[in-house]
């Protein structure tokens, strides 16, 4: 199992009041947007930031290809925008039309996209956003989506509802045991098995089995408006409302030699999920995994 530790506030020109963030596959290239505002980028995992870039707009979500060059952003009340040069220029995709786009995600190569409308449907694209297809997701207050590297496994969350997953590029969706919470951000590892989600209350939860089971990982001081993950799910980034961007490292035990270490009076509840793996259900105090 994996436990997030060592969240570190990042300064040096990062997007304050960040509304959405995205990460390259190795977790070093980050992009963040504000609403209203601009785009900011980092090439060193959030230690320093460059920007602002792009036009001033009400950006509601942004996603990135694995190399950090192809970006896609949702414009609340407008069309979906795409960029092929790390956000230097943006092109509106006329096929999407004006809508209350709330969230978007991308495959690793930037060709397969998924986007959702607040109080609407989920849409997918197989050609970098040129054309879009409504999927069998149902109309809901979709707040966030995420995609595996190949665009096959998708995850979407409803504000004050459940988290849903798809294993066939969005054709069908399955509600998961996530509880009905005010989910407003979600991300996944490259293979789509490790998930991280944030709520309006600042709580961050993680799953290592594609959403079947969830554990409360940590709580930030304010709304966890945006989260993202590196390709292996070991590095996380979160952007609270009205605060600085935070980063985290996930640690996991390995084999029978692995162990947990905590402070006095700490407690943890584990559940066996098969194949020699456990997940934490609840905990008091801080733990490190080795």
């Amino acid at each position: 199992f994996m436990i997030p530790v060592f969240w570190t506030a990042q300064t040096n020109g990062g997007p304050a009041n960040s509304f959405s963030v995205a990460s390259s596959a190795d977790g070093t290239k980050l992009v963040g947007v504000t609403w209203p505002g601009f785009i900011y980028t980092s090439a060193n995992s959030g230690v320093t930031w460059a920007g602002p870039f792009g036009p001033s707009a009400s950006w509601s979500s942004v996603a990135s290809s694995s190399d950090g060059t192809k970006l896609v952003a949702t414009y609340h009340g407008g069309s979906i925008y795409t960029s092929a040069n790390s956000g230097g220029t943006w092109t509106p995709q006329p096929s999407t039309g004006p809508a209350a786009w709330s969230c978007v995600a991308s495959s690793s190569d930037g060709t397969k996209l998924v986007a959702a409308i607040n109080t609407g449907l989920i849409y997918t694209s197989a050609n970098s956003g040129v054309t879009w297809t409504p999927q069998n997701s149902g109309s809901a207050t979709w707040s966030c989506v995420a995609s595996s590297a190949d665009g096959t496994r998708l995850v979407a969350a409803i504000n004050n509802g459940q988290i849903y997953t798809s294993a066939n590029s969005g054709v069908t969706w399955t509600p998961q045991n996530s509880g009905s919470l005010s989910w407003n951000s979600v991300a996944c590892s490259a293979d789509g098995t490790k998930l991280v989600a944030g709520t309006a209350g600042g709580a961050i939860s993680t799953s290592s089995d594609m959403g079947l089971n969830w554990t409360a990982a940590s709580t930030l001081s304010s709304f966890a408006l945006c989260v993202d993950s590196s390709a292996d799910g070991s590095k996380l980034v979160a952007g609270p409302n009205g605060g600085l961007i935070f980063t985290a490292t996930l640690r996991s035990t390995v084999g029978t030699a692995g162990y947990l270490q905590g402070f006095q009076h700490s407690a943890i509840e584990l559940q066996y999920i098969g194949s020699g793996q456990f997940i934490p259900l609840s905990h008091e105090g801080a733990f490190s995994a080795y």
Side-chain angles (χ1 to χ4, degrees), residues 150-212:
D150 62 3
T152 300
R153 291 183 175 180
L154 306 177
V155 55
I158 298 174
N159 189 16
N160 294 320
Q162 289 178 285
I163 293 177
Y164 286 70
T165 59
S166 173
N168 53 13
S169 300
V171 177
T172 58
W173 293 82
T174 302
Q176 299 295 355
N177 185 29
S178 57
S180 295
L181 299 175
S182 54
W183 303 109
N184 58 11
S185 54
V186 69
C188 68
S189 57
D191 61 4
T193 60
K194 297 180 179 66
L195 311 180
V196 56
T199 70
I204 296 178
S205 297
T206 59
S207 172
S208 59
D209 53 11
M210 203 181 171
L212 293 178

Side-chain angles (χ1 to χ4, degrees), residues 109-125:
D109 62 2
T111 59
K112 293 184 179 180
L113 308 177
V114 55
I117 298 175
N118 187 23
T119 315
L121 299 175
I122 292 178
Y123 289 74
T124 59
S125 173

Side-chain angles (χ1 to χ4, degrees), residues 31 39 41 52-55 68-72 82-90:
V31 55
I39 299 170
T41 61
F53 301 110
T69 59
K70 294 183 179 179
L71 307 178
V72 55
T82 57
S83 173
N85 56 5
S86 299
T89 58
W90 291 86

Side-chain angles (χ1 to χ4, degrees), residues 4-233:
V5 292
F6 304 136
W7 285 96
T8 303
Q10 301 292 355
T11 56
N12 300 323
N17 299 319
S18 51
F19 200 87
S20 180
V21 293
S23 171
S24 61
D26 61 3
T28 59
K29 292 183 179 180
L30 307 178
V31 55
V33 296
T34 60
W35 180 5
F38 298 91
I39 299 170
Y40 296 82
T41 61
S42 173
N44 53 13
S45 300
V47 177
T48 59
W49 292 79
F53 301 110
S56 177
S58 297
W59 303 109
S60 57
S61 182
V62 65
S64 173
S65 59
S66 62
D67 61 4
T69 59
K70 294 183 179 179
L71 307 178
V72 55
T74 52
Y75 182 92
H76 193 82
S79 300
I80 293 177
Y81 282 67
T82 57
S83 173
N85 56 5
S86 299
T89 58
W90 291 86
T91 301
Q93 299 298 341
S95 61
T96 57
W101 298 102
S102 60
C103 47
V104 66
S106 171
S107 61
S108 62
D109 62 2
T111 59
K112 293 184 179 180
L113 308 177
V114 55
I117 298 175
N118 187 23
T119 315
L121 299 175
I122 292 178
Y123 289 74
T124 59
S125 173
N127 53 13
S128 300
V130 177
T131 58
W132 293 80
T133 302
Q135 298 294 359
N136 184 27
S137 55
S139 179
T141 54
W142 300 106
S143 59
C144 46
V145 292
S147 171
S148 62
D150 62 3
T152 300
R153 291 183 175 180
L154 306 177
V155 55
I158 298 174
N159 189 16
N160 294 320
Q162 289 178 285
I163 293 177
Y164 286 70
T165 59
S166 173
N168 53 13
S169 300
V171 177
T172 58
W173 293 82
T174 302
Q176 299 295 355
N177 185 29
S178 57
S180 295
L181 299 175
S182 54
W183 303 109
N184 58 11
S185 54
V186 69
C188 68
S189 57
D191 61 4
T193 60
K194 297 180 179 66
L195 311 180
V196 56
T199 70
I204 296 178
S205 297
T206 59
S207 172
S208 59
D209 53 11
M210 203 181 171
L212 293 178
N213 297 279
W214 291 83
T215 182
S218 57
T219 301
L220 300 179
S221 59
S222 57
F223 286 35
L225 277 178
C226 42
V227 296
D228 207 356
S229 169
S230 61
D232 62 0

Side-chain angles (χ1 to χ4, degrees), residues 212-262:
L212 293 178
N213 297 279
W214 291 83
T215 182
S218 57
T219 301
L220 300 179
S221 59
S222 57
F223 286 35
L225 277 178
C226 42
V227 296
D228 207 356
S229 169
S230 61
D232 62 0
S234 66
K235 294 181 180 179
L236 306 179
V237 57
N241 184 30
L244 299 172
I245 286 180
F246 285 75
T247 59
T249 299
L250 291 172
R251 291 182 176 177
S252 62
T253 62
V254 179
T256 57
Y259 64 94
L260 295 174
Q261 180 173 302

